[in-house]
Amino acid sequence: MGLVVQKYGGSSVADAEGIKRVAKRIVEAKKNGHQVVVVVSAMGDTTDELIDLAEQVSPMPAGREFDMLLTAGERISMALLAMAIKNLGHAAQSFTGSQAGVITDAVHGKARIIDVTPGRIQQSVDSGNIAIVAGFQGVSQDSKDITTLGRGGSDTTAVALAAALNAEVCEIYTDVDGVFTADPRVVKKARKIDWISFEDMLELAASGSKVLLHRCVEYARRYNIPIHVRSSFSGLRGTWVSNEPQGDQPMEQAIISGVAHDTSEAKVTVVGVPDKPGEAATIFRAISDAEINIDMIVQNVSAASTGLTDISFTLPKTEGRKAIEALEKTKPRVGFDSLRYDDQIAKISLVGAGMKTNPGVTATFFEALSNAGVNIELISTSEIRISVVTRADDVNEAVRAVHSAFGLDSESDEAVVYGGTGR
Amino acid sequence: MGLVVQKYGGSSVADAEGIKRVAKRIVEAKKNGHQVVVVVSAMGDTTDELIDLAEQVSPMPAGREFDMLLTAGERISMALLAMAIKNLGHAAQSFTGSQAGVITDAVHGKARIIDVTPGRIQQSVDSGNIAIVAGFQGVSQDSKDITTLGRGGSDTTAVALAAALNAEVCEIYTDVDGVFTADPRVVKKARKIDWISFEDMLELAASGSKVLLHRCVEYARRYNIPIHVRSSFSGLRGTWVSNEPQGDQPMEQAIISGVAHDTSEAKVTVVGVPDKPGEAATIFRAISDAEINIDMIVQNVSAASTGLTDISFTLPKTEGRKAIEALEKTKPRVGFDSLRYDDQIAKISLVGAGMKTNPGVTATFFEALSNAGVNIELISTSEIRISVVTRADDVNEAVRAVHSAFGLDSESDEAVVYGGTGR
């Protein structure tokens, strides 16, 4: 048996009891004959407490020092986890991101992994230890400063280590049973997905599914590391994410993997843009210079009578104010009429590689929304995804209608099992 | 102006307010034209909280992981301190013990510093930064594991860095105004000492004075680094500890530096030891094998009639049980009569290089105790120290009597200034 990387999030190690529970599960994997490398996040609220302290001493904490501060969180959880494992009679050693060879660029707060040189980790597991590695952190290549990887960083650490160590699988333990065909809080009949391809998982993540972040899945796809998302509170099999189904997983991919929704975005419409070359470029250069990531972009055909068109795009609500300010500055050059800002929207996405070869999917999707009385405001598509923007009020009904229309509903209302506290 | 190392203890950085106050003081030193390197301990109760967490997951936390855990404490305080300094408009960078080049042996929990390679610190201050270094921690030379230096470790970090960086002075900021001629809680008329030699300070530290630990003073003496002990709560000059008086310090050393007392020890008497070669060796080999540090040893002349003698020694109360168990095992070989254990004792010590050339000192010391009605149970002397063991109940009166007899009392009752909370 080979090497397994397991990742446990902050809610799984929120207190001493959680740490002891996780330690038992890790020891089980070791007893089954695997070499085990564990990536762990900071305990429960630790990170928030540290951020609170930082704000008390400085309104604008500097990146380098802020990263130094936050990385204390994993240092605590990883040392405690190693102690708990030793207490069960198994050898364990904890390692910081730097010690584990997680080399990053120097962008504090959202560093990217450049390389992983896991010599010490390999040596530790080869000597019979369970190696515990701090998630979310690394060391910058040139300045040797401590960095953090930003949101979802611990998942990325786990996948990157799994790739560098040629792991059989990267197990991501979380507080839900896996990836579902829709958010189970919205769709009671959502089903756990047994297997999903990297491509579909990437689209789901980009469309609002929170279980795995896009960045982590992308990394896993690049290095072809199977991910197994599962609950740290139950022993159930979760969702496998990989290139090909493995073992007894279904050999044929479902037409539709799932329905995702996202209510964290807002819509900006630039009204009355002159329909001539370069105007859109000016608008989106302004947005890009303000370092705002946008999602959907839709431009309607211009009205022949006026030669003016409207351009709409969606972006995170948190960036709304910055975007409007940046666009106001372009008004003299672009000469648009006005800006509209709308944060009462929701995005609903249908994801599945099968839609490429099933032409009826789009029609069924729109019919389902229409039958549910949901109005569509924007549409955008990729090869394996259709997304629409609707009123925020309609989102739950829309998701349920689409989920049902594509036969994704489970037969039982009780299929969804949340373990533990569901944090 | 040269480089100054400043060390701040946990009580000085107990909360955000404390960190901001300390930041201001550090910036003052920088404004005065010094290069500044700061060594900082963990905030207030952080270490206790981490120890508490460790005990919840494991009754016997392993050394390597325990050190990894505890070092999270300084990581938090140093990052916050760097942020607070930046917030005052000055450049600051924080460094772990490992980054600062504090190389130790691999004895977790009480590692010794082997070498300091402060290249990154020198570079940081040469670039105009204030460098903040985590106290109490280092990295082991061979295994590259994180270590902690044990009690008083942050003071030792500061002195070791000061030596490696050729600092002008190592300033130890604490919650009292300096080193006093006696413990001001016992002797209201104790005076702050302006200057004291390394030798006298070493004897005071060995005799129960808590302001500086023996190990730190020893390091400073070896590398001839002047220490300035002072309050972080006031701007007052504190106590200089060095080879020679500096600047306007008194050129002639006082006959007596101070009176120290220690109530943390117990006395063990081995009664009826056969007075023949090798018996004492057997006894103290047993103590040494149990890794117990002992302090005073006194052997009386044996009674001619019996050929038996008594051997007494003092040791930390915390080691009492272990010592008795170790000695019981030697009984068949040594053939002593019995063991007596007494933890109701105090040690009172008079320290001063002047006693070498002032033969009356010993007589005055014993007379003062006698006049105060204090009985002496053991006596031990070095070239610059006399120590006696008395009943614990007598300690305060004994210290006051000796302090007064040697003219150490200040003229005012108000000479003692405690700054801040006096934690």
Side-chain angles (χ1 to χ4, degrees), chain B residues 25-273:
Chain B
R25 182 177 283 272
I26 293 167
V27 165
E28 283 306 312
K30 176 77 177 167
K31 279 186 184 162
N32 288 339
H34 288 103
Q35 288 192 326
V36 186
V37 174
V38 175
V39 173
V40 68
S41 302
M43 292 169 73
D45 303 326
T46 310
T47 304
D48 289 340
E49 287 165 17
L50 293 173
I51 291 172
D52 185 51
L53 270 173
E55 284 170 353
Q56 286 179 48
V57 301
S58 173
M60 290 274 286
R64 180 185 186 282
E65 304 308 323
F66 200 58
D67 280 358
M68 186 68 97
L69 178 72
L70 293 188
T71 52
E74 292 83 37
R75 199 174 189 88
I76 294 170
S77 57
M78 74 189 195
L80 291 171
L81 187 52
M83 289 177 197
I85 291 170
K86 288 195 169 190
N87 199 38
L88 298 174
H90 288 259
Q93 288 186 316
S94 67
F95 296 91
T96 64
S98 171
Q99 291 176 332
V102 180
I103 316 292
T104 73
D105 62 22
V107 183
H108 287 290
K110 46 180 181 178
R112 295 193 70 83
I113 295 176
I114 295 173
D115 194 11
V116 179
T117 53
R120 285 187 74 175
I121 304 300
Q122 187 71 60
Q123 201 180 343
S124 180
V125 295
D126 287 348
S127 312
N129 291 295
I130 295 166
I132 315 291
V133 178
F136 179 69
Q137 58 179 248
V139 62
S140 66
Q141 191 163 39
D142 300 326
S143 60
K144 309 291 178 215
D145 286 328
I146 303 303
T147 54
T148 65
L149 308 179
R151 255 190 91 207
S154 291
D155 287 4
T156 309
T157 302
V159 170
L161 266 175
L165 292 163
N166 282 312
E168 277 179 7
V169 59
C170 179
E171 297 185 332
I172 307 277
Y173 285 89
T174 179
D175 49 12
V176 293
D177 283 341
V179 182
F180 281 78
T181 51
D183 184 337
R185 284 168 300 189
V186 173
V187 182
K188 289 257 181 297
K189 295 194 167 194
R191 284 188 292 106
K192 190 189 74 192
I193 300 171
D194 287 331
W195 172 77
I196 185 171
S197 69
F198 284 129
E199 285 68 27
D200 280 16
M201 192 64 232
L202 280 172
E203 290 285 1
L204 280 180
S207 304
S209 168
K210 303 256 183 334
V211 185
L212 286 179
L213 286 186
H214 192 272
R215 173 183 185 191
C216 154
V217 182
E218 204 172 47
Y219 206 109
R221 179 175 64 165
R222 193 177 333 139
Y223 293 96
N224 193 19
I225 298 297
I227 296 177
H228 185 187
V229 185
R230 56 196 304 197
S231 168
S232 72
F233 296 88
S234 79
L236 298 178
R237 192 165 97 166
T239 300
W240 283 79
V241 188
S242 60
N243 263 332
E244 300 290 336
Q246 312 204 333
D248 58 350
Q249 290 162 2
M251 285 306 291
E252 198 166 0
Q253 187 161 8
I255 294 173
I256 297 301
S257 285
V259 185
H261 70 276
D262 189 348
T263 54
S264 71
E265 296 194 340
K267 181 177 70 173
V268 172
T269 304
V270 190
V271 180
V273 179

Side-chain angles (χ1 to χ4, degrees), chain A residues 159-219:
Chain A
V159 170
L161 266 174
L165 292 162
N166 282 314
E168 277 179 7
V169 58
C170 179
E171 296 184 334
I172 307 276
Y173 285 89
T174 178
D175 49 13
V176 292
D177 281 341
V179 182
F180 281 77
T181 50
D183 185 336
R185 284 168 300 190
V186 173
V187 182
K188 288 258 182 295
K189 294 195 167 194
R191 282 188 294 105
K192 190 188 73 190
I193 300 171
D194 288 330
W195 171 77
I196 185 171
S197 68
F198 284 129
E199 286 67 27
D200 280 16
M201 192 64 233
L202 280 172
E203 291 285 0
L204 280 181
S207 305
S209 168
K210 303 257 184 332
V211 185
L212 286 178
L213 285 186
H214 192 272
R215 174 185 184 189
C216 155
V217 182
E218 205 173 45
Y219 206 108

Side-chain angles (χ1 to χ4, degrees), chain A residues 16 19-20 43 50 53-54 56-59 61-62 64-66 68-69 71-72 75-76 78-80 82-84 86-87 92-96 99 120 143-146, chain B residues 16 19-20 43 50 53-54 56-59 61-62 64-66 68-69 71-72 75-76 78-80 82-84 86-87 92-96 99 120 143-146:
Chain A
I19 287 170
K20 287 195 266 190
M43 293 170 72
L50 292 173
L53 270 173
Q56 286 179 46
V57 301
S58 173
R64 181 186 185 282
E65 303 307 324
F66 200 58
M68 185 69 96
L69 178 71
T71 52
R75 198 175 190 88
I76 293 169
M78 74 189 196
L80 290 171
M83 289 177 195
K86 288 195 169 193
N87 198 40
Q93 289 186 317
S94 66
F95 296 92
T96 64
Q99 290 176 332
R120 286 188 73 176
S143 60
K144 308 291 178 217
D145 286 327
I146 303 303
Chain B
I19 287 171
K20 288 195 264 190
M43 292 169 73
L50 293 173
L53 270 173
Q56 286 179 48
V57 301
S58 173
R64 180 185 186 282
E65 304 308 323
F66 200 58
M68 186 68 97
L69 178 72
T71 52
R75 199 174 189 88
I76 294 170
M78 74 189 195
L80 291 171
M83 289 177 197
K86 288 195 169 190
N87 199 38
Q93 288 186 316
S94 67
F95 296 91
T96 64
Q99 291 176 332
R120 285 187 74 175
S143 60
K144 309 291 178 215
D145 286 328
I146 303 303

